[in-house]
Amino acid sequence: MISVSSATKRYGDFAALDDVSIDVEPGSLTALLGPSGSGKSTLLRVIAGLEEPDAGAVVLEGRDVTYVHPQQRGVGFVFQHYAAFKHLTVRDNVAFGLQIRKRPKAEIAAKVDELLEVVGLSGFQRRYPSQLSGGQRQRMALARALAVEPKVLLLDEPFGALDANVRAELRAWLRRLHDEVHVTTVLVTHDQEEAMELADRIVLLNHGRVEQVGAPRELYDAPASDFVMGFLGPVARVQGGLVRPHDVAVLVEPDGDGAVEAQGRRGRHRLPAAAGTGVQRRVTQDSGSSASGCSSAGRLPAARSASVTCSTTPRRLERTAIHTCCSGAALPA
Amino acid sequence: MTGGALGLGVATMWLSLIVLLPLAAVVARSLDGGLEAFWDAVSSRQAVAALRFTLLISLAVTAINVVMGTLVAWVLVRDRFRGKRFVNALIDLPFALPTIVAGLTLLALYGDAIAYTRWAVLLALLFVTLPFVVRAVQPVLHELDREMEEAAHSLGASATTTFRRIILPNLIPAIISGAALAFARAVGEFGSVVLISGNVPFDTQVTAVYAYKQLESDNITGAAAVSVVLLLVSLLVLLGLRLLERRP
C-alpha cells in the first residue's frame, strides 16, 4: 500500500507536483500517465525518496517515509536508461543489493541465478552491461531491483528507450511477471497505450495535478475532462465538443441530393452532399432522436452542425471515411 | 601515394625529428665513455641518492595528488558555489606559469621556513603536478551516470558504500592515468625545484638538478647518463599506463 497525500514539489516557479494525493492498492499495477512535465516522474521519485517533497507525506505500508533516505525505504527502482553498474558483471549487478545486505554467498548466488532465469538472462552472468542489448539491460535492471524483494517496485518509463518491438515484448512480459510476483508496482509512462495495456489503475496527471484516477476502461469511457478524453485516444473537436472516431458511423446510403447520415453513439449526423472530392461537408448532430437505440446522452453538445473536410465523394462516404475525417483532429467548428 | 601514407610519413618524420632524435642523442652521449663509464656515472653514491629521493618524493606527490586531485575534481563537478569558474581556471595555472616562477613564488612566500628542505621540494612538486589528476578525473566524473548512484541508494547502499563500490571503480582508470602523468612530470621536474631545493646532496637533490650540476662541472657524459635513467623511468611509467588502459 502506497499513500501519497498533498505532495507538493516546486522547482523555482514551476510546480512539478501541486497538492497531489494518490493511494495505490497493494499488489496492483498502477500507471502514472501524463504528458511530459506533468509531474509523473517527480511523483515516482518522491515515492522512492529520490526527491523530497516540499510539503505532503508519503506512507509506505503504514510507515511515514516522507523524510526517510531511499536506502531504507525498501523500494525497487528501475530507470529509463537502465542505470546499469557499468563496471560490474550482470551477476554482480543483480547481486549488489543482496551483498549490501550481507546475505550469505550461497544464498546470493542461488537468488541471482533464479532471478536471471525469471528475466530470461541465464547464461549472461559473466557479461558486462555494455555487452547486452537495451532490452536485456532493462531486464537485468528489473532483476536487480527485484533481488532485494522490495515492498514496492517503481518503474520510470522503463521501456521508453527501447525500440517498438522490444517495448511491446517487454510490456507483455512485465504484465506476466506482475501476475506471478504480485509486487505492488507503479509505472510511469507518457504512452497511453502502454498504460491501458498494462495497468490495473491509471493515475492521469497534468500540470502537476491529478486529473482522474480509475481503471483504464473507466477513464476511457467516462473521462472526467476534455483533457482526459483527449489524452487517452484520438479525438476530433466538433462544435466545441470532443468525439472519438469510433463514436461516429455512417449508417445509411446517400439520399437523393447526395447527403448521407452518420449515426454516432452519441447522436445522429447528417452529411449533406457537395460536388467533387475534397469538399466541405456538414456534420449535423441531431441529439434529440435515438431511433436505433443509440444513446444520445454523450458528451457531444446538442449542436446543429459542424464542418468536416472529406476527401471522398458522397457515395463512397463510408465508415472509414468518417473515421478519417474525425481522426483529423481539430475540425473547424 | 595515398593521403594516409603521406600523413603517416609526415607524422613519423616529425616525431623522429622532435622527439626521437634528441633522445637518441642523449643516449648516445651517455655512452660516450662506454658502458662502464655509464654505469659508474649512474651508480655513484650521489646519483643513487638523488634518484632515490626523486622517486620517493614523486611517489608521495602522486599519492597526495590522487586524493586531493580527486577531491578538487569532485568539488568542481558536483558542488555549486560562487567563483567556481574562476577556481576552475586557476587549476591550469601551474601549466601556464613558468616553473621557475613557481619556485621563486614559493621561495618568496615561505622563505626561511622551509626553503632548502625536502618539504620545499614536496610543495614545489605538488604545485606543478596539481592539474594532472584534477583534469583527468573531472570529465569522467562529469559524464558519470547519476542514476547509477540513485540505483545504488534505492538498493540499500549508503553514501559511503555507493562512493566506494559504484563511483570510485568508475573513476579509477582516470585517476591512474592522471597519477601516471603527475608522477612522470614530478620525476623530471627541474625549474620549480632548482632554487627552492637548495640542491643539497644526499638530502634535497633531485636527479634533474643533479644532472644540471654535472653539466655545470663539465661532466657531460655523467649528466647524459642520469638523464637516460630519468628517461627510462618516465618511459616505463607511460608504457605501464598504456598497458593498464588496454584492460577492459
Side-chain angles (χ1 to χ4, degrees), chain A residues 109-143:
Chain A
K111 181 93 189 171
V112 169
D113 285 345
E114 178 200 324
L115 274 164
L116 287 177
E117 179 84 45
V118 170
V119 301
L121 285 178
S122 14
F124 288 80
Q125 270 95 334
R126 287 167 187 284
R127 297 249 194 131
Y128 282 88
S130 59
Q131 297 167 310
L132 301 180
S133 71
Q136 288 170 332
R137 272 182 234 184
Q138 198 56 299
R139 281 185 281 159
M140 180 193 82
L142 258 163

PDB file of all heavy atoms in Angstrom, chain A residues 109-143:
ATOM      1  N   ALA A 109      24.113 -16.311  -4.600  1.00  0.00           N
ATOM      2  CA  ALA A 109      24.316 -16.978  -5.893  1.00  0.00           C
ATOM      3  C   ALA A 109      23.023 -17.639  -6.364  1.00  0.00           C
ATOM      4  O   ALA A 109      22.630 -17.512  -7.529  1.00  0.00           O
ATOM      5  CB  ALA A 109      25.441 -18.007  -5.772  1.00  0.00           C
ATOM      6  N   ALA A 110      22.343 -18.320  -5.443  1.00  0.00           N
ATOM      7  CA  ALA A 110      21.110 -19.024  -5.814  1.00  0.00           C
ATOM      8  C   ALA A 110      20.040 -18.038  -6.252  1.00  0.00           C
ATOM      9  O   ALA A 110      19.367 -18.220  -7.277  1.00  0.00           O
ATOM     10  CB  ALA A 110      20.620 -19.848  -4.622  1.00  0.00           C
ATOM     11  N   LYS A 111      19.926 -16.942  -5.487  1.00  0.00           N
ATOM     12  CA  LYS A 111      18.901 -15.939  -5.773  1.00  0.00           C
ATOM     13  C   LYS A 111      19.162 -15.260  -7.127  1.00  0.00           C
ATOM     14  O   LYS A 111      18.232 -15.043  -7.914  1.00  0.00           O
ATOM     15  CB  LYS A 111      18.917 -14.891  -4.654  1.00  0.00           C
ATOM     16  CG  LYS A 111      17.912 -13.807  -4.802  1.00  0.00           C
ATOM     17  CD  LYS A 111      16.640 -14.147  -4.071  1.00  0.00           C
ATOM     18  CE  LYS A 111      15.565 -13.128  -4.418  1.00  0.00           C
ATOM     19  NZ  LYS A 111      14.270 -13.519  -3.901  1.00  0.00           N
ATOM     20  N   VAL A 112      20.446 -14.956  -7.378  1.00  0.00           N
ATOM     21  CA  VAL A 112      20.792 -14.294  -8.631  1.00  0.00           C
ATOM     22  C   VAL A 112      20.470 -15.206  -9.819  1.00  0.00           C
ATOM     23  O   VAL A 112      19.860 -14.781 -10.803  1.00  0.00           O
ATOM     24  CB  VAL A 112      22.285 -13.888  -8.644  1.00  0.00           C
ATOM     25  CG1 VAL A 112      22.710 -13.445 -10.032  1.00  0.00           C
ATOM     26  CG2 VAL A 112      22.539 -12.785  -7.643  1.00  0.00           C
ATOM     27  N   ASP A 113      20.853 -16.471  -9.687  1.00  0.00           N
ATOM     28  CA  ASP A 113      20.576 -17.419 -10.776  1.00  0.00           C
ATOM     29  C   ASP A 113      19.078 -17.540 -11.029  1.00  0.00           C
ATOM     30  O   ASP A 113      18.622 -17.553 -12.169  1.00  0.00           O
ATOM     31  CB  ASP A 113      21.171 -18.787 -10.442  1.00  0.00           C
ATOM     32  CG  ASP A 113      22.684 -18.782 -10.608  1.00  0.00           C
ATOM     33  OD1 ASP A 113      23.190 -17.839 -11.239  1.00  0.00           O
ATOM     34  OD2 ASP A 113      23.341 -19.703 -10.097  1.00  0.00           O
ATOM     35  N   GLU A 114      18.323 -17.583  -9.922  1.00  0.00           N
ATOM     36  CA  GLU A 114      16.876 -17.730 -10.050  1.00  0.00           C
ATOM     37  C   GLU A 114      16.274 -16.521 -10.759  1.00  0.00           C
ATOM     38  O   GLU A 114      15.461 -16.653 -11.677  1.00  0.00           O
ATOM     39  CB  GLU A 114      16.285 -17.887  -8.640  1.00  0.00           C
ATOM     40  CG  GLU A 114      14.780 -18.015  -8.600  1.00  0.00           C
ATOM     41  CD  GLU A 114      14.235 -17.669  -7.210  1.00  0.00           C
ATOM     42  OE1 GLU A 114      14.914 -18.008  -6.213  1.00  0.00           O
ATOM     43  OE2 GLU A 114      13.161 -17.049  -7.140  1.00  0.00           O
ATOM     44  N   LEU A 115      16.720 -15.325 -10.358  1.00  0.00           N
ATOM     45  CA  LEU A 115      16.168 -14.107 -10.951  1.00  0.00           C
ATOM     46  C   LEU A 115      16.558 -13.962 -12.412  1.00  0.00           C
ATOM     47  O   LEU A 115      15.749 -13.537 -13.240  1.00  0.00           O
ATOM     48  CB  LEU A 115      16.645 -12.889 -10.168  1.00  0.00           C
ATOM     49  CG  LEU A 115      15.777 -12.559  -8.962  1.00  0.00           C
ATOM     50  CD1 LEU A 115      16.492 -11.620  -8.027  1.00  0.00           C
ATOM     51  CD2 LEU A 115      14.455 -11.949  -9.409  1.00  0.00           C
ATOM     52  N   LEU A 116      17.798 -14.335 -12.728  1.00  0.00           N
ATOM     53  CA  LEU A 116      18.223 -14.227 -14.127  1.00  0.00           C
ATOM     54  C   LEU A 116      17.434 -15.204 -14.985  1.00  0.00           C
ATOM     55  O   LEU A 116      17.153 -14.939 -16.160  1.00  0.00           O
ATOM     56  CB  LEU A 116      19.735 -14.476 -14.244  1.00  0.00           C
ATOM     57  CG  LEU A 116      20.591 -13.325 -13.713  1.00  0.00           C
ATOM     58  CD1 LEU A 116      22.067 -13.653 -13.798  1.00  0.00           C
ATOM     59  CD2 LEU A 116      20.296 -12.039 -14.471  1.00  0.00           C
ATOM     60  N   GLU A 117      17.059 -16.324 -14.380  1.00  0.00           N
ATOM     61  CA  GLU A 117      16.192 -17.276 -15.069  1.00  0.00           C
ATOM     62  C   GLU A 117      14.837 -16.617 -15.351  1.00  0.00           C
ATOM     63  O   GLU A 117      14.320 -16.655 -16.475  1.00  0.00           O
ATOM     64  CB  GLU A 117      16.009 -18.514 -14.177  1.00  0.00           C
ATOM     65  CG  GLU A 117      15.117 -19.588 -14.740  1.00  0.00           C
ATOM     66  CD  GLU A 117      15.873 -20.501 -15.682  1.00  0.00           C
ATOM     67  OE1 GLU A 117      16.994 -20.895 -15.307  1.00  0.00           O
ATOM     68  OE2 GLU A 117      15.341 -20.804 -16.770  1.00  0.00           O
ATOM     69  N   VAL A 118      14.281 -15.962 -14.326  1.00  0.00           N
ATOM     70  CA  VAL A 118      12.974 -15.322 -14.448  1.00  0.00           C
ATOM     71  C   VAL A 118      12.988 -14.254 -15.552  1.00  0.00           C
ATOM     72  O   VAL A 118      12.058 -14.148 -16.344  1.00  0.00           O
ATOM     73  CB  VAL A 118      12.548 -14.689 -13.102  1.00  0.00           C
ATOM     74  CG1 VAL A 118      11.313 -13.801 -13.283  1.00  0.00           C
ATOM     75  CG2 VAL A 118      12.280 -15.768 -12.068  1.00  0.00           C
ATOM     76  N   VAL A 119      14.055 -13.460 -15.616  1.00  0.00           N
ATOM     77  CA  VAL A 119      14.075 -12.386 -16.609  1.00  0.00           C
ATOM     78  C   VAL A 119      14.685 -12.839 -17.935  1.00  0.00           C
ATOM     79  O   VAL A 119      14.876 -12.035 -18.844  1.00  0.00           O
ATOM     80  CB  VAL A 119      14.843 -11.133 -16.106  1.00  0.00           C
ATOM     81  CG1 VAL A 119      14.204 -10.589 -14.845  1.00  0.00           C
ATOM     82  CG2 VAL A 119      16.309 -11.446 -15.865  1.00  0.00           C
ATOM     83  N   GLY A 120      14.989 -14.141 -18.027  1.00  0.00           N
ATOM     84  CA  GLY A 120      15.469 -14.674 -19.297  1.00  0.00           C
ATOM     85  C   GLY A 120      16.896 -14.285 -19.624  1.00  0.00           C
ATOM     86  O   GLY A 120      17.239 -14.071 -20.776  1.00  0.00           O
ATOM     87  N   LEU A 121      17.730 -14.188 -18.603  1.00  0.00           N
ATOM     88  CA  LEU A 121      19.129 -13.831 -18.858  1.00  0.00           C
ATOM     89  C   LEU A 121      20.092 -14.885 -18.309  1.00  0.00           C
ATOM     90  O   LEU A 121      21.259 -14.570 -18.071  1.00  0.00           O
ATOM     91  CB  LEU A 121      19.457 -12.468 -18.227  1.00  0.00           C
ATOM     92  CG  LEU A 121      18.929 -11.218 -18.924  1.00  0.00           C
ATOM     93  CD1 LEU A 121      19.298  -9.976 -18.134  1.00  0.00           C
ATOM     94  CD2 LEU A 121      19.460 -11.096 -20.340  1.00  0.00           C
ATOM     95  N   SER A 122      19.591 -16.105 -18.071  1.00  0.00           N
ATOM     96  CA  SER A 122      20.538 -17.109 -17.585  1.00  0.00           C
ATOM     97  C   SER A 122      21.556 -17.357 -18.690  1.00  0.00           C
ATOM     98  O   SER A 122      21.230 -17.341 -19.870  1.00  0.00           O
ATOM     99  CB  SER A 122      19.847 -18.407 -17.194  1.00  0.00           C
ATOM    100  OG  SER A 122      18.549 -18.445 -17.686  1.00  0.00           O
ATOM    101  N   GLY A 123      22.785 -17.543 -18.294  1.00  0.00           N
ATOM    102  CA  GLY A 123      23.848 -17.690 -19.285  1.00  0.00           C
ATOM    103  C   GLY A 123      24.536 -16.381 -19.584  1.00  0.00           C
ATOM    104  O   GLY A 123      25.544 -16.342 -20.273  1.00  0.00           O
ATOM    105  N   PHE A 124      23.995 -15.267 -19.042  1.00  0.00           N
ATOM    106  CA  PHE A 124      24.616 -13.965 -19.279  1.00  0.00           C
ATOM    107  C   PHE A 124      25.357 -13.464 -18.041  1.00  0.00           C
ATOM    108  O   PHE A 124      25.795 -12.336 -17.998  1.00  0.00           O
ATOM    109  CB  PHE A 124      23.555 -12.934 -19.660  1.00  0.00           C
ATOM    110  CG  PHE A 124      22.992 -13.140 -21.036  1.00  0.00           C
ATOM    111  CD1 PHE A 124      22.004 -14.094 -21.263  1.00  0.00           C
ATOM    112  CD2 PHE A 124      23.441 -12.396 -22.110  1.00  0.00           C
ATOM    113  CE1 PHE A 124      21.488 -14.287 -22.526  1.00  0.00           C
ATOM    114  CE2 PHE A 124      22.923 -12.586 -23.375  1.00  0.00           C
ATOM    115  CZ  PHE A 124      21.940 -13.543 -23.583  1.00  0.00           C
ATOM    116  N   GLN A 125      25.491 -14.355 -17.043  1.00  0.00           N
ATOM    117  CA  GLN A 125      26.045 -13.938 -15.746  1.00  0.00           C
ATOM    118  C   GLN A 125      27.348 -13.171 -15.842  1.00  0.00           C
ATOM    119  O   GLN A 125      27.567 -12.211 -15.125  1.00  0.00           O
ATOM    120  CB  GLN A 125      26.293 -15.173 -14.860  1.00  0.00           C
ATOM    121  CG  GLN A 125      25.133 -15.547 -13.996  1.00  0.00           C
ATOM    122  CD  GLN A 125      24.263 -16.601 -14.636  1.00  0.00           C
ATOM    123  OE1 GLN A 125      24.229 -16.698 -15.858  1.00  0.00           O
ATOM    124  NE2 GLN A 125      23.569 -17.371 -13.840  1.00  0.00           N
ATOM    125  N   ARG A 126      28.231 -13.639 -16.714  1.00  0.00           N
ATOM    126  CA  ARG A 126      29.578 -13.067 -16.752  1.00  0.00           C
ATOM    127  C   ARG A 126      29.712 -11.903 -17.710  1.00  0.00           C
ATOM    128  O   ARG A 126      30.774 -11.323 -17.865  1.00  0.00           O
ATOM    129  CB  ARG A 126      30.579 -14.151 -17.147  1.00  0.00           C
ATOM    130  CG  ARG A 126      30.817 -15.126 -16.036  1.00  0.00           C
ATOM    131  CD  ARG A 126      31.549 -16.352 -16.542  1.00  0.00           C
ATOM    132  NE  ARG A 126      31.622 -17.347 -15.487  1.00  0.00           N
ATOM    133  CZ  ARG A 126      32.452 -17.274 -14.466  1.00  0.00           C
ATOM    134  NH1 ARG A 126      33.289 -16.269 -14.380  1.00  0.00           N
ATOM    135  NH2 ARG A 126      32.450 -18.203 -13.534  1.00  0.00           N
ATOM    136  N   ARG A 127      28.637 -11.562 -18.392  1.00  0.00           N
ATOM    137  CA  ARG A 127      28.730 -10.441 -19.322  1.00  0.00           C
ATOM    138  C   ARG A 127      28.719  -9.116 -18.579  1.00  0.00           C
ATOM    139  O   ARG A 127      28.226  -9.013 -17.469  1.00  0.00           O
ATOM    140  CB  ARG A 127      27.509 -10.463 -20.252  1.00  0.00           C
ATOM    141  CG  ARG A 127      27.451 -11.689 -21.102  1.00  0.00           C
ATOM    142  CD  ARG A 127      27.705 -11.346 -22.542  1.00  0.00           C
ATOM    143  NE  ARG A 127      27.322 -12.471 -23.377  1.00  0.00           N
ATOM    144  CZ  ARG A 127      26.562 -12.345 -24.450  1.00  0.00           C
ATOM    145  NH1 ARG A 127      26.084 -11.169 -24.780  1.00  0.00           N
ATOM    146  NH2 ARG A 127      26.288 -13.400 -25.168  1.00  0.00           N
ATOM    147  N   TYR A 128      29.227  -8.091 -19.272  1.00  0.00           N
ATOM    148  CA  TYR A 128      29.133  -6.741 -18.750  1.00  0.00           C
ATOM    149  C   TYR A 128      27.953  -6.042 -19.428  1.00  0.00           C
ATOM    150  O   TYR A 128      27.585  -6.413 -20.553  1.00  0.00           O
ATOM    151  CB  TYR A 128      30.433  -5.969 -19.016  1.00  0.00           C
ATOM    152  CG  TYR A 128      31.524  -6.360 -18.045  1.00  0.00           C
ATOM    153  CD1 TYR A 128      32.376  -7.427 -18.318  1.00  0.00           C
ATOM    154  CD2 TYR A 128      31.670  -5.687 -16.841  1.00  0.00           C
ATOM    155  CE1 TYR A 128      33.355  -7.806 -17.413  1.00  0.00           C
ATOM    156  CE2 TYR A 128      32.646  -6.047 -15.933  1.00  0.00           C
ATOM    157  CZ  TYR A 128      33.488  -7.106 -16.222  1.00  0.00           C
ATOM    158  OH  TYR A 128      34.443  -7.474 -15.321  1.00  0.00           O
ATOM    159  N   PRO A 129      27.367  -5.042 -18.765  1.00  0.00           N
ATOM    160  CA  PRO A 129      26.214  -4.362 -19.351  1.00  0.00           C
ATOM    161  C   PRO A 129      26.455  -3.895 -20.783  1.00  0.00           C
ATOM    162  O   PRO A 129      25.550  -3.933 -21.615  1.00  0.00           O
ATOM    163  CB  PRO A 129      25.996  -3.168 -18.409  1.00  0.00           C
ATOM    164  CG  PRO A 129      26.504  -3.637 -17.099  1.00  0.00           C
ATOM    165  CD  PRO A 129      27.658  -4.549 -17.408  1.00  0.00           C
ATOM    166  N   SER A 130      27.690  -3.457 -21.075  1.00  0.00           N
ATOM    167  CA  SER A 130      27.961  -2.968 -22.429  1.00  0.00           C
ATOM    168  C   SER A 130      27.840  -4.065 -23.473  1.00  0.00           C
ATOM    169  O   SER A 130      27.772  -3.791 -24.664  1.00  0.00           O
ATOM    170  CB  SER A 130      29.364  -2.361 -22.485  1.00  0.00           C
ATOM    171  OG  SER A 130      30.325  -3.335 -22.122  1.00  0.00           O
ATOM    172  N   GLN A 131      27.815  -5.323 -23.009  1.00  0.00           N
ATOM    173  CA  GLN A 131      27.702  -6.442 -23.958  1.00  0.00           C
ATOM    174  C   GLN A 131      26.253  -6.902 -24.110  1.00  0.00           C
ATOM    175  O   GLN A 131      25.994  -7.948 -24.693  1.00  0.00           O
ATOM    176  CB  GLN A 131      28.574  -7.600 -23.481  1.00  0.00           C
ATOM    177  CG  GLN A 131      30.055  -7.244 -23.449  1.00  0.00           C
ATOM    178  CD  GLN A 131      30.876  -8.259 -22.684  1.00  0.00           C
ATOM    179  OE1 GLN A 131      30.545  -8.615 -21.557  1.00  0.00           O
ATOM    180  NE2 GLN A 131      31.941  -8.743 -23.299  1.00  0.00           N
ATOM    181  N   LEU A 132      25.319  -6.140 -23.533  1.00  0.00           N
ATOM    182  CA  LEU A 132      23.906  -6.509 -23.622  1.00  0.00           C
ATOM    183  C   LEU A 132      23.158  -5.510 -24.496  1.00  0.00           C
ATOM    184  O   LEU A 132      23.562  -4.364 -24.627  1.00  0.00           O
ATOM    185  CB  LEU A 132      23.271  -6.503 -22.230  1.00  0.00           C
ATOM    186  CG  LEU A 132      23.845  -7.409 -21.152  1.00  0.00           C
ATOM    187  CD1 LEU A 132      23.053  -7.228 -19.864  1.00  0.00           C
ATOM    188  CD2 LEU A 132      23.814  -8.860 -21.590  1.00  0.00           C
ATOM    189  N   SER A 133      22.031  -5.964 -25.059  1.00  0.00           N
ATOM    190  CA  SER A 133      21.161  -5.041 -25.791  1.00  0.00           C
ATOM    191  C   SER A 133      20.368  -4.222 -24.779  1.00  0.00           C
ATOM    192  O   SER A 133      20.348  -4.526 -23.586  1.00  0.00           O
ATOM    193  CB  SER A 133      20.214  -5.827 -26.680  1.00  0.00           C
ATOM    194  OG  SER A 133      19.262  -6.498 -25.878  1.00  0.00           O
ATOM    195  N   GLY A 134      19.690  -3.188 -25.279  1.00  0.00           N
ATOM    196  CA  GLY A 134      18.900  -2.338 -24.387  1.00  0.00           C
ATOM    197  C   GLY A 134      17.857  -3.122 -23.614  1.00  0.00           C
ATOM    198  O   GLY A 134      17.711  -2.964 -22.404  1.00  0.00           O
ATOM    199  N   GLY A 135      17.130  -3.988 -24.323  1.00  0.00           N
ATOM    200  CA  GLY A 135      16.091  -4.778 -23.673  1.00  0.00           C
ATOM    201  C   GLY A 135      16.671  -5.687 -22.599  1.00  0.00           C
ATOM    202  O   GLY A 135      16.099  -5.838 -21.515  1.00  0.00           O
ATOM    203  N   GLN A 136      17.838  -6.264 -22.901  1.00  0.00           N
ATOM    204  CA  GLN A 136      18.487  -7.150 -21.918  1.00  0.00           C
ATOM    205  C   GLN A 136      18.950  -6.362 -20.703  1.00  0.00           C
ATOM    206  O   GLN A 136      18.826  -6.810 -19.569  1.00  0.00           O
ATOM    207  CB  GLN A 136      19.670  -7.860 -22.566  1.00  0.00           C
ATOM    208  CG  GLN A 136      19.241  -8.931 -23.547  1.00  0.00           C
ATOM    209  CD  GLN A 136      20.410  -9.452 -24.363  1.00  0.00           C
ATOM    210  OE1 GLN A 136      21.389  -8.737 -24.597  1.00  0.00           O
ATOM    211  NE2 GLN A 136      20.316 -10.686 -24.818  1.00  0.00           N
ATOM    212  N   ARG A 137      19.472  -5.165 -20.952  1.00  0.00           N
ATOM    213  CA  ARG A 137      19.921  -4.338 -19.839  1.00  0.00           C
ATOM    214  C   ARG A 137      18.751  -3.999 -18.920  1.00  0.00           C
ATOM    215  O   ARG A 137      18.884  -3.998 -17.704  1.00  0.00           O
ATOM    216  CB  ARG A 137      20.516  -3.025 -20.354  1.00  0.00           C
ATOM    217  CG  ARG A 137      21.984  -3.146 -20.647  1.00  0.00           C
ATOM    218  CD  ARG A 137      22.542  -1.819 -21.102  1.00  0.00           C
ATOM    219  NE  ARG A 137      23.220  -2.003 -22.364  1.00  0.00           N
ATOM    220  CZ  ARG A 137      23.878  -1.046 -23.000  1.00  0.00           C
ATOM    221  NH1 ARG A 137      23.924   0.154 -22.501  1.00  0.00           N
ATOM    222  NH2 ARG A 137      24.479  -1.307 -24.123  1.00  0.00           N
ATOM    223  N   GLN A 138      17.609  -3.695 -19.551  1.00  0.00           N
ATOM    224  CA  GLN A 138      16.469  -3.320 -18.723  1.00  0.00           C
ATOM    225  C   GLN A 138      15.961  -4.514 -17.930  1.00  0.00           C
ATOM    226  O   GLN A 138      15.524  -4.379 -16.795  1.00  0.00           O
ATOM    227  CB  GLN A 138      15.365  -2.705 -19.596  1.00  0.00           C
ATOM    228  CG  GLN A 138      14.337  -1.903 -18.834  1.00  0.00           C
ATOM    229  CD  GLN A 138      14.935  -0.786 -18.004  1.00  0.00           C
ATOM    230  OE1 GLN A 138      15.740  -1.022 -17.090  1.00  0.00           O
ATOM    231  NE2 GLN A 138      14.563   0.440 -18.292  1.00  0.00           N
ATOM    232  N   ARG A 139      16.028  -5.716 -18.519  1.00  0.00           N
ATOM    233  CA  ARG A 139      15.604  -6.905 -17.772  1.00  0.00           C
ATOM    234  C   ARG A 139      16.576  -7.177 -16.625  1.00  0.00           C
ATOM    235  O   ARG A 139      16.167  -7.594 -15.543  1.00  0.00           O
ATOM    236  CB  ARG A 139      15.492  -8.103 -18.705  1.00  0.00           C
ATOM    237  CG  ARG A 139      14.183  -8.046 -19.492  1.00  0.00           C
ATOM    238  CD  ARG A 139      13.987  -9.256 -20.329  1.00  0.00           C
ATOM    239  NE  ARG A 139      14.770  -9.188 -21.552  1.00  0.00           N
ATOM    240  CZ  ARG A 139      15.107 -10.240 -22.266  1.00  0.00           C
ATOM    241  NH1 ARG A 139      14.740 -11.436 -21.887  1.00  0.00           N
ATOM    242  NH2 ARG A 139      15.804 -10.084 -23.358  1.00  0.00           N
ATOM    243  N   MET A 140      17.870  -6.903 -16.881  1.00  0.00           N
ATOM    244  CA  MET A 140      18.842  -7.035 -15.808  1.00  0.00           C
ATOM    245  C   MET A 140      18.520  -6.041 -14.682  1.00  0.00           C
ATOM    246  O   MET A 140      18.563  -6.390 -13.493  1.00  0.00           O
ATOM    247  CB  MET A 140      20.246  -6.761 -16.337  1.00  0.00           C
ATOM    248  CG  MET A 140      21.328  -6.873 -15.283  1.00  0.00           C
ATOM    249  SD  MET A 140      22.888  -6.177 -15.837  1.00  0.00           S
ATOM    250  CE  MET A 140      22.607  -4.450 -15.531  1.00  0.00           C
ATOM    251  N   ALA A 141      18.166  -4.819 -15.066  1.00  0.00           N
ATOM    252  CA  ALA A 141      17.835  -3.799 -14.063  1.00  0.00           C
ATOM    253  C   ALA A 141      16.620  -4.227 -13.245  1.00  0.00           C
ATOM    254  O   ALA A 141      16.551  -4.003 -12.041  1.00  0.00           O
ATOM    255  CB  ALA A 141      17.583  -2.460 -14.740  1.00  0.00           C
ATOM    256  N   LEU A 142      15.661  -4.860 -13.914  1.00  0.00           N
ATOM    257  CA  LEU A 142      14.482  -5.364 -13.204  1.00  0.00           C
ATOM    258  C   LEU A 142      14.868  -6.460 -12.213  1.00  0.00           C
ATOM    259  O   LEU A 142      14.413  -6.466 -11.066  1.00  0.00           O
ATOM    260  CB  LEU A 142      13.476  -5.925 -14.213  1.00  0.00           C
ATOM    261  CG  LEU A 142      12.293  -5.023 -14.518  1.00  0.00           C
ATOM    262  CD1 LEU A 142      11.614  -5.455 -15.796  1.00  0.00           C
ATOM    263  CD2 LEU A 142      11.303  -5.073 -13.368  1.00  0.00           C
ATOM    264  N   ALA A 143      15.719  -7.371 -12.662  1.00  0.00           N
ATOM    265  CA  ALA A 143      16.173  -8.448 -11.776  1.00  0.00           C
ATOM    266  C   ALA A 143      16.907  -7.852 -10.584  1.00  0.00           C
ATOM    267  O   ALA A 143      16.718  -8.283  -9.441  1.00  0.00           O
ATOM    268  CB  ALA A 143      17.081  -9.407 -12.536  1.00  0.00           C
TER     269      ALA A 143
END
